[in-house]
């Protein structure tokens, strides 16, 4: 037990140091550079809101179309960013893995954690602004437990997918481009702009297999007390999360051994 405690303590120190390094690197040229990436996400939300407002789109639930769109787009962007940062960190870790005790996965955790903190802080402020400007009375989550569940599960899920993508990109470099396209199209198949329970039966039978749709639904249940949850499955999300984490960690280990052997 003492050896495990020492190992965990050392791991925490390593990841903490890499996290601080990552923040400094991102802000080395301009202060708060990482916030510009998040500003892009906010602009993405506002643009879609403006389009649907112009088209006269009705509010599927709640009192604000902006809040509805935001609670749908945020989970997809969060997942996409974590998965991309984790994957790119494995490849970019050569600069730090020369240091004793540091592995590529440590750098991936640090990068993902920086992205996690940036998203949480920025979007907490974004939803707070919606509430302060009185754009919606539902901007403050009534169910914080659902927020915590969402953050933990989607962070692990995105991280696991990132590890898998790093292995696929190593074998097939074009995969990075392909995944970028897939992750962008994902937003149209994840119940971001609609409520899946209100779709035709044929569509529901397809959408229910998309794990991101479940993450979107879980996030929205934190804001809407009457959000339909017939298709939401915690077991399905947990199964996917642990599944991709196990596969991702196994592939990361295989990739590490492959590189260590000089292949």
């Amino acid at each position: 037990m003492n050896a495990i405690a020492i190992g965990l303590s050392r791991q925490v120190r390593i990841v903490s140091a890499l996290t601080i390094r990552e923040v400094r690197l991102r802000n080395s040229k301009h202060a708060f550079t990482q916030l510009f990436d998040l500003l892009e996400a906010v602009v993405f939300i506002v643009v879609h809101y403006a389009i649907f407002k112009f088209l006269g789109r009705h509010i599927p639930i709640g009192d604000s179309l902006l809040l509805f769109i935001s609670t749908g787009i945020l989970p997809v962007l969060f997942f996409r960013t974590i998965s991309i940062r984790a994957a790119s960190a494995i490849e970019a870790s050569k600069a730090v893995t020369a240091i004793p005790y540091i592995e590529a996965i440590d750098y991936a955790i640090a990068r993902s954690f920086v992205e996690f903190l940036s998203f949480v802080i920025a979007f907490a402020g974004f939803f707070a602004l919606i509430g302060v400007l009185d754009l919606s009375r539902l901007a403050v989550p009534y169910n914080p437990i659902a927020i915590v569940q969402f953050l933990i599960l989607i962070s692990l899920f995105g991280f696991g997918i990132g590890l898998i993508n790093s292995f696929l990109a190593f074998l097939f470099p074009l995969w990075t481009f392909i995944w970028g396209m897939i992750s962008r199209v994902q937003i149209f198949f994840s119940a971001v702009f609609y409520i899946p329970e209100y779709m035709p039966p044929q569509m529901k039978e397809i959408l229910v297999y998309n794990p991101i749709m479940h993450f979107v639904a879980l996030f929205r249940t934190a804001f809407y007390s009457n959000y339909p949850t017939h298709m939401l499955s915690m077991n399905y999300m947990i199964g996917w999360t642990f599944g991709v984490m196990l596969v991702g960690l196994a592939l990361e280990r295989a990739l590490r051994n492959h590189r260590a052997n000089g292949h």
Side-chain angles (χ1 to χ4, degrees), residues 71-79 116 119-120 143-157 212 214-223 234 237 241:
T71 54
I73 290 178
L74 172 59
V76 179
L77 293 182
F78 193 99
F79 159 72
F116 172 88
F119 256 84
V120 169
N143 183 8
I145 294 177
I147 294 286
V148 174
Q149 292 173 330
F150 163 80
L151 289 174
I152 293 173
L153 289 175
I154 201 166
S155 296
L156 294 175
F157 181 72
I212 304 299
H214 293 264
F215 285 112
V216 171
L218 176 61
F219 187 67
R220 279 180 168 155
T221 59
F223 295 86
M234 286 293 296
M237 283 185 287
T241 299

Side-chain angles (χ1 to χ4, degrees), residues 120-153:
V120 169
I121 293 172
F123 279 95
F126 180 70
F127 285 118
L129 185 62
I130 292 177
V132 169
L133 295 178
D134 201 27
L135 298 177
S136 174
R137 57 183 176 80
L138 303 175
V140 178
Y142 90 99
N143 183 8
I145 294 177
I147 294 286
V148 174
Q149 292 173 330
F150 163 80
L151 289 174
I152 293 173
L153 289 175

Side-chain angles (χ1 to χ4, degrees), residues 189-252:
F189 301 94
S190 303
V192 170
F193 304 115
Y194 50 85
I195 297 177
E197 278 81 357
Y198 299 164
M199 300 299 289
Q202 298 84 351
M203 281 293 293
K204 289 195 288 187
E205 290 177 4
I206 298 174
L207 291 173
V208 73
Y209 290 105
N210 182 359
I212 304 299
M213 183 277 293
H214 293 264
F215 285 112
V216 171
L218 176 61
F219 187 67
R220 279 180 168 155
T221 59
F223 295 86
Y224 304 104
S225 59
N226 58 336
Y227 191 83
T229 57
H230 302 98
M231 295 174 63
L232 173 61
S233 173
M234 286 293 296
N235 290 335
Y236 190 69
M237 283 185 287
I238 293 172
W240 264 99
T241 299
F242 280 94
V244 298
M245 279 294 292
L246 287 174
V247 174
L249 290 172
L251 291 179
E252 190 278 331

Side-chain angles (χ1 to χ4, degrees), residues 19-32:
T19 299
I20 295 172
R21 176 186 183 276
E22 179 67 14
V23 172
R24 287 177 176 174
L25 281 176
R26 291 199 196 183
N27 299 319
S28 58
K29 294 183 179 179
H30 303 285
F32 306 109

Side-chain angles (χ1 to χ4, degrees), residues 101-112:
Y101 303 115
I102 295 181
E103 300 290 349
I105 194 169
D106 298 322
Y107 192 41
I109 293 173
R111 267 198 174 184
S112 300

Side-chain angles (χ1 to χ4, degrees), residues 143-186:
N143 183 8
I145 294 177
I147 294 286
V148 174
Q149 292 173 330
F150 163 80
L151 289 174
I152 293 173
L153 289 175
I154 201 166
S155 296
L156 294 175
F157 181 72
F159 185 76
I161 291 293
L163 295 181
I164 293 173
N165 284 341
S166 69
F167 183 83
L168 294 176
F170 176 78
L171 297 178
F172 183 50
L174 190 60
W175 175 252
T176 301
F177 173 77
I178 295 174
W179 174 251
M181 297 299 295
I182 292 174
S183 61
R184 285 184 175 89
V185 175
Q186 176 75 36

Side-chain angles (χ1 to χ4, degrees), residues 83-117:
S83 64
I84 290 176
R85 291 294 186 188
S88 64
I90 297 295
E91 181 60 31
S93 63
K94 296 175 182 177
V96 295
T97 51
I99 303 173
Y101 303 115
I102 295 181
E103 300 290 349
I105 194 169
D106 298 322
Y107 192 41
I109 293 173
R111 267 198 174 184
S112 300
F113 187 61
V114 170
E115 213 62 44
F116 172 88
L117 291 178

